[in-house]
Amino acid sequence: MRHYFIKISIIVSLLVLPTSLLRGQDMSFSQMYESSMYLSPSFTGFTTGSRLGLNYRNQWPGAGKAYQFYGVALDHYFEPFNSGVGFMFLRDDQGKGLLVNDELAFLYSYEFAVAEDLFLRPGIAFKYAQRRIDPSKVVLPEDIDPGGVITPGQGGGLDLETESTSRFDAAASLMFYGKSFWVGASFDHLVRSNVSFTDLRTSIGVKT
């Protein structure tokens, strides 16, 4: 039953939302449901009491830990207020420090009953993100000696300084669930901001 509602929500989202809005690339975990608050703020406080989550992904281990993703999440459900409150920290490290994205988020959800054993959970997240690039980590052809040993910068490297940008962002979500199913959607990158070292602007993203 749950998989049926998930498929329906995905189909509806793709039909209703313009495809031009579905742009951008976010951090990625192999088991996204193990990082539920990143998937949707509505999952904040979705369990009784407190919850601590740790996530780590090493993509393409043969590349020498060149693409790593980290996640730490903590949330608590305050039953007297029907509210879930949580914090989350994410790090996306590409190229062993070449391009690093850090994100700190505060999340809140509220739960109310719409019928017997049927509930709605709207959620919201406020985020502070920072992106940093270190050109000294770039490997150029002259950084590889005849024996195949790679030493970044030995050939002179790029004459560029380390740069960073920061921004505020937000996400919102809505989840409808019962005893045997849940279905919902979340809308990420609600704040249009500069996420590059040129003039690139973000667009709204959707997770279902």
Side-chain angles (χ1 to χ4, degrees), residues 5 13 17 47-48 53 64 99 101 137 148 151 154 178 196 202-203 208:
F5 280 99
S13 298
L17 295 172
T47 59
T48 302
L99 180 62
N101 296 291
K137 304 291 185 179
T151 307
Q154 74 172 0
S196 75
T202 60
S203 296
T208 55

Side-chain angles (χ1 to χ4, degrees), residues 8 23 46 52 66 74 93-94 145 147 178-180 191:
I8 292 297
R23 295 181 295 184
F46 199 52
L52 174 65
L74 174 66
D93 186 343
Q94 304 177 42
D145 66 19
K179 287 186 175 181
S180 58
V191 178

